[in-house]
C-alpha cells in the first residue's frame, strides 16, 4: 500500500473516531425505562427521562444543541441514568407518557429508583439552565418531592399552598394539583370555601366548569360576591366557560369525537347564562368543514367575519384566537388575508404590543414577507426595551427571511 492510500485510510479512521468521540461527549441515553431503573438501583442514582415527540421543535433543539454538549454529558452521565422516551410512537412511549401524565414536550423528568417523580419541568433550557435543573432535582431541600412530602405531612399555610400548587401547575402536573386541591376544598367550611385565599388557589389550579369547586362557587355566588365583588366573580365564571369549551372542542376535533363537548354544551345552555349564544357562535366558527370533513377556509373566513362583526368588540381574544387558527389553515399567498384585516382592526383600536406576535404570524403565513419582517423587528425592539431575551423572535425573523429568499425570485 502506498503512502497516499495510508494517509487516506488514516484520515478516514480519524474522522470516524473523532466523530464517535464528539457524539460520546454528550449524554448517554437508554430507551427502556425498566432497564434504566434496574441500572439506577445498582448504581444508586436517580433517573433522568426526556419525554419528547418527533414533531416537537424545542425537543429537537435539546437533542441537537444541549444534550450533546460535553459539560452536560459530564454532569448527567455521572449523576443520573438517562433515558429518552418518544411519546408519539403509538406504543411503549405513548403508554409511558400517559402513565406519567406528560402534558407538554419536552418534559424533563427525574425519577427515584422506585419510578416515582422527584422533579420535572416542561420546555427547553440552555446548557446552564439544564445543568441547574439536574442540581435542583438532586437537592432534597429544593426538588418537588420535598414539597409533596410537606403537603402530605399536613402543611396548609396559605404561603406554602400557593407555592405548592404553582410549582405543580408550572411543571405540567396539573392532574395532581387539581386532585390535591379538590380534596382540600372538600374539607373546608362554607365560609372558608368562599374566602379570598381559597379563591386565589382556585385560580392557580384553574378549577374548571363542572368541577366540584367551580360548581360550589356557581351555587353560592352571593357568598363570593361579598368577599370578592360581583364583577370579579361573574367575569371569572364567564371566562372559565369560554376557554373550557374552546379546549374541549379542540380535543374533540383531535380525537374525532365531539360527544363530550356537545353534552357539556347542553348542560351549559341549561344554566341560562346570557353569554351562551355568543360562545356557541364562537365555537361554530372553528367547526368549519366541507362535506368530506376537510377544513373549509372560505367557510371559516365567512363565519369569522360574521362573528367578529357581531361580537368582536366584546373580547380581544376572539380576534387573536380566530386569526391564529386562520394562519394555521393558510397555505397560499393571501389565502387568509382576512386575518390580516382582523388584526389590523384590533391594533387600530388597541395598540397593545402583545398582539404583534399574532399579527406577525398571520402576515408571514400569507407570504407578506416585508411586512412580517417589519413587525418582527418591532417585537424584537420591544423585547430589548423590556430587557427580555430575543432568542425566539430572532429565530422567527431568520426563518421568515429564509422563506422570503426561497419564494421571492
Amino acid at each position: 500500500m502506498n503512502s497516499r492510500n495510508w494517509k487516506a485510510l488514516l484520515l478516514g479512521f480519524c474522522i470516524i473516531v473523532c466523530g464517535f468521540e464528539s457524539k460520546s461527549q454528550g449524554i448517554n441515553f437508554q430507551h427502556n425505562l425498566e432497564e434504566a431503573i434496574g441500572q439506577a438501583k445498582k448504581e444508586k442514582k436517580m433517573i433522568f427521562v426526556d419525554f419528547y415527540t418527533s414533531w416537537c421543535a424545542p425537543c429537537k433543539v435539546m437533542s441537537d444543541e444541549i444534550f450533546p454538549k460535553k459539560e452536560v454529558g459530564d454532569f448527567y452521565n455521572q449523576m443520573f441514568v438517562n433515558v429518552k422516551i418518544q411519546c408519539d410512537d403509538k406504543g411503549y412511549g405513548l403508554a409511558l407518557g400517559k402513565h406519567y401524565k406528560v402534558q407538554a414536550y419536552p418534559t424533563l423528568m427525574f425519577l427515584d429508583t422506585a419510578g416515582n417523580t422527584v422533579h420535572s419541568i416542561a420546555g427547553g433550557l440552555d446548557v446552564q439552565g439544564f445543568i441547574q435543573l439536574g442540581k435542583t432535582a438532586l437537592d432534597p431541600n429544593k426538588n418537588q418531592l420535598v414539597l409533596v412530602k410537606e403537603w402530605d405531612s399536613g402543611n396548609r399555610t396559605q404561603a406554602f399552598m400557593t407555592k405548592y400548587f404553582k410549582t405543580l401547575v408550572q411543571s405540567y402536573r396539573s392532574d395532581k394539583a387539581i386532585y390535591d386541591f379538590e380534596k382540600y376544598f372538600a374539607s373546608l367550611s362554607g365560609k372558608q370555601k368562599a374566602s379570598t385565599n381559597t379563591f386565589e388557589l382556585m385560580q392557580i389550579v384553574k378549577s374548571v366548569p363542572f368541577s366540584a369547586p367551580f360548581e360550589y362557587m356557581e351555587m353560592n355566588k352571593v357568598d363570593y360576591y361579598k368577599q370578592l365583588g360581583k364583577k370579579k366573580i361573574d367575569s371569572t365564571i364567564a371566562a372559565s366557560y369560554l376557554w373550557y369549551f374552546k379546549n374541549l372542542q379542540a380535543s374533540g376535533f383531535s380525537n374525532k369525537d365531539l360527544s363530550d363537548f356537545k353534552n357539556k354544551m347542553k348542560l351549559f345552555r341549561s344554566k341560562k347564562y346570557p353569554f351562551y349564544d355568543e360562545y356557541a357562535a364562537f365555537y361554530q366558527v372553528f367547526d368549519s368543514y366541507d362535506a368530506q370533513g376537510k377544513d373549509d377556509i372560505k367557510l371559516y373566513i365567512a363565519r369569522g367575519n360574521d362573528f367578529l362583526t357581531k361580537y368582536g368588540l366584546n373580547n380581544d381574544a376572539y380576534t387573536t384566537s380566530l386569526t391564529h387558527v386562520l394562519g394555521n389553515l393558510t397555505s397560499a399567498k393571501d389565502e387568509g388575508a382576512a386575518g390580516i384585516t382582523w388584526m389590523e382592526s384590533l391594533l387600530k383600536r388597541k395598540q397593545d404590543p402583545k398582539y404583534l406576535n399574532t399579527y406577525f404570524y398571520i402576515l408571514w403565513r400569507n407570504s407578506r414577507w416585508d411586512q412580517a419582517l417589519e413587525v418582527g423587528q418591532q417585537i424584537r425592539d420591544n423585547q430589548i426595551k423590556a430587557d427580555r431575551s430575543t432568542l425566539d423572535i430572532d429565530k422567527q425573523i431568520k426563518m421568515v427571511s429564509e422563506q422570503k429568499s426561497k419564494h421571492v425570485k
Side-chain angles (χ1 to χ4, degrees), residues 225-254:
Y225 289 165
K226 292 176 183 177
Q227 295 296 317
L228 295 129
K230 185 177 186 300
K231 182 178 180 181
K232 187 174 185 66
I233 296 303
D234 287 349
S235 64
T236 296
I237 291 172
S240 297
Y241 272 112
L242 176 63
W243 300 114
Y244 170 78
F245 278 109
K246 178 67 189 71
N247 293 331
L248 194 63
Q249 183 189 44
S251 178
F253 286 146
S254 177

mmCIF file of all heavy atoms in Angstrom, residues 225-254:
data_model
loop_
_atom_site.group_PDB
_atom_site.id
_atom_site.type_symbol
_atom_site.label_atom_id
_atom_site.label_comp_id
_atom_site.label_asym_id
_atom_site.label_seq_id
_atom_site.Cartn_x
_atom_site.Cartn_y
_atom_site.Cartn_z
ATOM 1 N N TYR A 225 -69.583 37.001 46.132
ATOM 2 C CA TYR A 225 -69.738 38.429 45.844
ATOM 3 C C TYR A 225 -69.325 39.266 47.050
ATOM 4 O O TYR A 225 -68.673 40.311 46.905
ATOM 5 C CB TYR A 225 -71.197 38.760 45.508
ATOM 6 C CG TYR A 225 -71.709 38.260 44.179
ATOM 7 C CD1 TYR A 225 -73.086 38.230 43.927
ATOM 8 C CD2 TYR A 225 -70.839 37.828 43.176
ATOM 9 C CE1 TYR A 225 -73.584 37.785 42.715
ATOM 10 C CE2 TYR A 225 -71.337 37.372 41.957
ATOM 11 C CZ TYR A 225 -72.704 37.350 41.732
ATOM 12 O OH TYR A 225 -73.176 36.906 40.532
ATOM 13 N N LYS A 226 -69.693 38.822 48.243
ATOM 14 C CA LYS A 226 -69.399 39.573 49.462
ATOM 15 C C LYS A 226 -67.900 39.694 49.701
ATOM 16 O O LYS A 226 -67.415 40.711 50.205
ATOM 17 C CB LYS A 226 -70.050 38.887 50.666
ATOM 18 C CG LYS A 226 -71.574 38.946 50.672
ATOM 19 C CD LYS A 226 -72.138 38.153 51.834
ATOM 20 C CE LYS A 226 -73.660 38.149 51.817
ATOM 21 N NZ LYS A 226 -74.222 37.314 52.922
ATOM 22 N N GLN A 227 -67.168 38.667 49.327
ATOM 23 C CA GLN A 227 -65.726 38.653 49.577
ATOM 24 C C GLN A 227 -64.918 39.276 48.444
ATOM 25 O O GLN A 227 -63.916 39.946 48.681
ATOM 26 C CB GLN A 227 -65.245 37.207 49.792
ATOM 27 C CG GLN A 227 -65.804 36.544 51.044
ATOM 28 C CD GLN A 227 -65.353 37.241 52.316
ATOM 29 O OE1 GLN A 227 -64.191 37.617 52.466
ATOM 30 N NE2 GLN A 227 -66.281 37.415 53.251
ATOM 31 N N LEU A 228 -65.336 39.054 47.215
ATOM 32 C CA LEU A 228 -64.508 39.433 46.072
ATOM 33 C C LEU A 228 -65.183 40.389 45.092
ATOM 34 O O LEU A 228 -64.530 40.881 44.160
ATOM 35 C CB LEU A 228 -64.080 38.171 45.319
ATOM 36 C CG LEU A 228 -63.167 37.257 46.143
ATOM 37 C CD1 LEU A 228 -63.687 35.831 46.137
ATOM 38 C CD2 LEU A 228 -61.755 37.301 45.637
ATOM 39 N N GLY A 229 -66.466 40.645 45.250
ATOM 40 C CA GLY A 229 -67.171 41.559 44.359
ATOM 41 C C GLY A 229 -67.852 40.829 43.220
ATOM 42 O O GLY A 229 -67.339 39.840 42.693
ATOM 43 N N LYS A 230 -68.998 41.317 42.837
ATOM 44 C CA LYS A 230 -69.804 40.682 41.788
ATOM 45 C C LYS A 230 -69.079 40.660 40.442
ATOM 46 O O LYS A 230 -69.081 39.651 39.725
ATOM 47 C CB LYS A 230 -71.132 41.417 41.653
ATOM 48 C CG LYS A 230 -72.119 40.778 40.677
ATOM 49 C CD LYS A 230 -73.433 41.536 40.673
ATOM 50 C CE LYS A 230 -74.484 40.837 39.820
ATOM 51 N NZ LYS A 230 -74.084 40.688 38.409
ATOM 52 N N LYS A 231 -68.430 41.762 40.074
ATOM 53 C CA LYS A 231 -67.773 41.860 38.773
ATOM 54 C C LYS A 231 -66.680 40.806 38.620
ATOM 55 O O LYS A 231 -66.567 40.155 37.572
ATOM 56 C CB LYS A 231 -67.182 43.259 38.589
ATOM 57 C CG LYS A 231 -66.525 43.472 37.240
ATOM 58 C CD LYS A 231 -66.011 44.901 37.099
ATOM 59 C CE LYS A 231 -65.343 45.113 35.734
ATOM 60 N NZ LYS A 231 -64.824 46.505 35.587
ATOM 61 N N LYS A 232 -65.882 40.623 39.658
ATOM 62 C CA LYS A 232 -64.773 39.663 39.584
ATOM 63 C C LYS A 232 -65.281 38.230 39.446
ATOM 64 O O LYS A 232 -64.768 37.459 38.625
ATOM 65 C CB LYS A 232 -63.884 39.784 40.827
ATOM 66 C CG LYS A 232 -62.613 38.946 40.752
ATOM 67 C CD LYS A 232 -61.706 39.223 41.925
ATOM 68 C CE LYS A 232 -60.384 38.481 41.791
ATOM 69 N NZ LYS A 232 -59.588 38.967 40.664
ATOM 70 N N ILE A 233 -66.289 37.879 40.235
ATOM 71 C CA ILE A 233 -66.805 36.512 40.189
ATOM 72 C C ILE A 233 -67.504 36.242 38.858
ATOM 73 O O ILE A 233 -67.275 35.204 38.221
ATOM 74 C CB ILE A 233 -67.760 36.251 41.365
ATOM 75 C CG1 ILE A 233 -66.995 36.361 42.695
ATOM 76 C CG2 ILE A 233 -68.408 34.879 41.239
ATOM 77 C CD1 ILE A 233 -65.801 35.444 42.820
ATOM 78 N N ASP A 234 -68.335 37.176 38.414
ATOM 79 C CA ASP A 234 -69.051 36.976 37.152
ATOM 80 C C ASP A 234 -68.092 36.882 35.964
ATOM 81 O O ASP A 234 -68.280 36.050 35.064
ATOM 82 C CB ASP A 234 -70.051 38.110 36.923
ATOM 83 C CG ASP A 234 -71.267 38.010 37.832
ATOM 84 O OD1 ASP A 234 -71.428 36.961 38.482
ATOM 85 O OD2 ASP A 234 -72.043 38.985 37.903
ATOM 86 N N SER A 235 -67.059 37.709 35.948
ATOM 87 C CA SER A 235 -66.093 37.671 34.840
ATOM 88 C C SER A 235 -65.266 36.392 34.889
ATOM 89 O O SER A 235 -64.917 35.828 33.840
ATOM 90 C CB SER A 235 -65.180 38.898 34.883
ATOM 91 O OG SER A 235 -64.386 38.912 36.054
ATOM 92 N N THR A 236 -64.969 35.909 36.092
ATOM 93 C CA THR A 236 -64.232 34.642 36.233
ATOM 94 C C THR A 236 -65.050 33.479 35.686
ATOM 95 O O THR A 236 -64.529 32.629 34.950
ATOM 96 C CB THR A 236 -63.887 34.379 37.719
ATOM 97 O OG1 THR A 236 -63.000 35.397 38.182
ATOM 98 C CG2 THR A 236 -63.229 33.015 37.891
ATOM 99 N N ILE A 237 -66.321 33.444 36.032
ATOM 100 C CA ILE A 237 -67.206 32.373 35.550
ATOM 101 C C ILE A 237 -67.322 32.425 34.030
ATOM 102 O O ILE A 237 -67.194 31.402 33.342
ATOM 103 C CB ILE A 237 -68.587 32.477 36.214
ATOM 104 C CG1 ILE A 237 -68.482 32.119 37.700
ATOM 105 C CG2 ILE A 237 -69.597 31.570 35.511
ATOM 106 C CD1 ILE A 237 -69.750 32.364 38.493
ATOM 107 N N ALA A 238 -67.527 33.612 33.479
ATOM 108 C CA ALA A 238 -67.694 33.754 32.026
ATOM 109 C C ALA A 238 -66.431 33.329 31.280
ATOM 110 O O ALA A 238 -66.496 32.575 30.300
ATOM 111 C CB ALA A 238 -68.043 35.197 31.686
ATOM 112 N N ALA A 239 -65.272 33.798 31.727
ATOM 113 C CA ALA A 239 -64.012 33.457 31.062
ATOM 114 C C ALA A 239 -63.701 31.969 31.183
ATOM 115 O O ALA A 239 -63.191 31.344 30.250
ATOM 116 C CB ALA A 239 -62.877 34.281 31.649
ATOM 117 N N SER A 240 -64.019 31.398 32.330
ATOM 118 C CA SER A 240 -63.754 29.967 32.536
ATOM 119 C C SER A 240 -64.544 29.117 31.556
ATOM 120 O O SER A 240 -64.014 28.169 30.961
ATOM 121 C CB SER A 240 -64.105 29.562 33.972
ATOM 122 O OG SER A 240 -63.285 30.235 34.907
ATOM 123 N N TYR A 241 -65.818 29.449 31.361
ATOM 124 C CA TYR A 241 -66.633 28.693 30.403
ATOM 125 C C TYR A 241 -66.117 28.872 28.972
ATOM 126 O O TYR A 241 -66.059 27.910 28.195
ATOM 127 C CB TYR A 241 -68.094 29.143 30.477
ATOM 128 C CG TYR A 241 -68.904 28.400 31.506
ATOM 129 C CD1 TYR A 241 -69.381 29.032 32.647
ATOM 130 C CD2 TYR A 241 -69.187 27.044 31.341
ATOM 131 C CE1 TYR A 241 -70.124 28.337 33.597
ATOM 132 C CE2 TYR A 241 -69.920 26.345 32.281
ATOM 133 C CZ TYR A 241 -70.385 26.992 33.407
ATOM 134 O OH TYR A 241 -71.105 26.289 34.342
ATOM 135 N N LEU A 242 -65.746 30.089 28.618
ATOM 136 C CA LEU A 242 -65.294 30.363 27.248
ATOM 137 C C LEU A 242 -64.146 29.450 26.847
ATOM 138 O O LEU A 242 -64.194 28.781 25.814
ATOM 139 C CB LEU A 242 -64.882 31.829 27.120
ATOM 140 C CG LEU A 242 -64.291 32.239 25.771
ATOM 141 C CD1 LEU A 242 -65.318 32.075 24.658
ATOM 142 C CD2 LEU A 242 -63.787 33.683 25.820
ATOM 143 N N TRP A 243 -63.104 29.417 27.666
ATOM 144 C CA TRP A 243 -61.898 28.673 27.277
ATOM 145 C C TRP A 243 -61.987 27.189 27.622
ATOM 146 O O TRP A 243 -61.337 26.358 26.981
ATOM 147 C CB TRP A 243 -60.659 29.322 27.897
ATOM 148 C CG TRP A 243 -60.554 30.740 27.411
ATOM 149 C CD1 TRP A 243 -60.678 31.879 28.132
ATOM 150 C CD2 TRP A 243 -60.372 31.161 26.043
ATOM 151 N NE1 TRP A 243 -60.579 32.988 27.324
ATOM 152 C CE2 TRP A 243 -60.392 32.580 26.048
ATOM 153 C CE3 TRP A 243 -60.199 30.490 24.838
ATOM 154 C CZ2 TRP A 243 -60.242 33.322 24.873
ATOM 155 C CZ3 TRP A 243 -60.059 31.224 23.674
ATOM 156 C CH2 TRP A 243 -60.079 32.628 23.698
ATOM 157 N N TYR A 244 -62.815 26.855 28.600
ATOM 158 C CA TYR A 244 -63.051 25.439 28.882
ATOM 159 C C TYR A 244 -63.644 24.759 27.649
ATOM 160 O O TYR A 244 -63.174 23.701 27.209
ATOM 161 C CB TYR A 244 -63.995 25.294 30.073
ATOM 162 C CG TYR A 244 -64.486 23.873 30.297
ATOM 163 C CD1 TYR A 244 -63.667 22.922 30.905
ATOM 164 C CD2 TYR A 244 -65.761 23.479 29.877
ATOM 165 C CE1 TYR A 244 -64.105 21.619 31.102
ATOM 166 C CE2 TYR A 244 -66.206 22.182 30.071
ATOM 167 C CZ TYR A 244 -65.374 21.257 30.681
ATOM 168 O OH TYR A 244 -65.817 19.960 30.867
ATOM 169 N N PHE A 245 -64.676 25.371 27.073
ATOM 170 C CA PHE A 245 -65.317 24.760 25.907
ATOM 171 C C PHE A 245 -64.457 24.850 24.653
ATOM 172 O O PHE A 245 -64.491 23.960 23.807
ATOM 173 C CB PHE A 245 -66.695 25.384 25.666
ATOM 174 C CG PHE A 245 -67.762 24.794 26.529
ATOM 175 C CD1 PHE A 245 -68.323 25.529 27.564
ATOM 176 C CD2 PHE A 245 -68.195 23.493 26.333
ATOM 177 C CE1 PHE A 245 -69.305 24.982 28.373
ATOM 178 C CE2 PHE A 245 -69.178 22.927 27.139
ATOM 179 C CZ PHE A 245 -69.735 23.677 28.160
ATOM 180 N N LYS A 246 -63.662 25.906 24.545
ATOM 181 C CA LYS A 246 -62.759 26.005 23.398
ATOM 182 C C LYS A 246 -61.762 24.849 23.414
ATOM 183 O O LYS A 246 -61.508 24.210 22.383
ATOM 184 C CB LYS A 246 -62.021 27.348 23.417
ATOM 185 C CG LYS A 246 -61.014 27.517 22.285
ATOM 186 C CD LYS A 246 -61.734 27.583 20.938
ATOM 187 C CE LYS A 246 -60.758 27.541 19.777
ATOM 188 N NZ LYS A 246 -60.135 26.226 19.585
ATOM 189 N N ASN A 247 -61.189 24.562 24.573
ATOM 190 C CA ASN A 247 -60.229 23.459 24.697
ATOM 191 C C ASN A 247 -60.912 22.105 24.532
ATOM 192 O O ASN A 247 -60.343 21.183 23.933
ATOM 193 C CB ASN A 247 -59.523 23.529 26.057
ATOM 194 C CG ASN A 247 -58.622 24.735 26.180
ATOM 195 O OD1 ASN A 247 -58.089 25.229 25.186
ATOM 196 N ND2 ASN A 247 -58.443 25.238 27.383
ATOM 197 N N LEU A 248 -62.138 21.992 25.063
ATOM 198 C CA LEU A 248 -62.870 20.732 24.945
ATOM 199 C C LEU A 248 -63.215 20.451 23.487
ATOM 200 O O LEU A 248 -63.121 19.308 23.016
ATOM 201 C CB LEU A 248 -64.149 20.798 25.785
ATOM 202 C CG LEU A 248 -64.885 19.484 26.052
ATOM 203 C CD1 LEU A 248 -64.008 18.537 26.851
ATOM 204 C CD2 LEU A 248 -66.188 19.755 26.808
ATOM 205 N N GLN A 249 -63.572 21.497 22.751
ATOM 206 C CA GLN A 249 -63.871 21.341 21.333
ATOM 207 C C GLN A 249 -62.614 20.932 20.557
ATOM 208 O O GLN A 249 -62.660 20.037 19.707
ATOM 209 C CB GLN A 249 -64.431 22.644 20.765
ATOM 210 C CG GLN A 249 -64.839 22.550 19.293
ATOM 211 C CD GLN A 249 -65.173 23.898 18.699
ATOM 212 O OE1 GLN A 249 -64.456 24.881 18.913
ATOM 213 N NE2 GLN A 249 -66.261 23.973 17.951
ATOM 214 N N ALA A 250 -61.499 21.593 20.847
ATOM 215 C CA ALA A 250 -60.239 21.269 20.161
ATOM 216 C C ALA A 250 -59.840 19.817 20.419
ATOM 217 O O ALA A 250 -59.386 19.109 19.506
ATOM 218 C CB ALA A 250 -59.138 22.212 20.623
ATOM 219 N N SER A 251 -60.029 19.366 21.655
ATOM 220 C CA SER A 251 -59.731 17.970 21.984
ATOM 221 C C SER A 251 -60.659 17.028 21.227
ATOM 222 O O SER A 251 -60.232 15.978 20.732
ATOM 223 C CB SER A 251 -59.891 17.755 23.492
ATOM 224 O OG SER A 251 -59.662 16.412 23.840
ATOM 225 N N GLY A 252 -61.918 17.424 21.093
ATOM 226 C CA GLY A 252 -62.877 16.605 20.344
ATOM 227 C C GLY A 252 -62.523 16.498 18.880
ATOM 228 O O GLY A 252 -62.626 15.427 18.273
ATOM 229 N N PHE A 253 -62.085 17.626 18.282
ATOM 230 C CA PHE A 253 -61.640 17.588 16.885
ATOM 231 C C PHE A 253 -60.449 16.644 16.731
ATOM 232 O O PHE A 253 -60.379 15.861 15.787
ATOM 233 C CB PHE A 253 -61.246 18.982 16.413
ATOM 234 C CG PHE A 253 -62.405 19.911 16.164
ATOM 235 C CD1 PHE A 253 -62.299 21.268 16.426
ATOM 236 C CD2 PHE A 253 -63.611 19.434 15.667
ATOM 237 C CE1 PHE A 253 -63.360 22.139 16.194
ATOM 238 C CE2 PHE A 253 -64.690 20.285 15.429
ATOM 239 C CZ PHE A 253 -64.558 21.638 15.696
ATOM 240 N N SER A 254 -59.518 16.741 17.667
ATOM 241 C CA SER A 254 -58.303 15.920 17.599
ATOM 242 C C SER A 254 -58.629 14.432 17.711
ATOM 243 O O SER A 254 -58.051 13.605 17.006
ATOM 244 C CB SER A 254 -57.337 16.337 18.710
ATOM 245 O OG SER A 254 -56.188 15.538 18.720
#
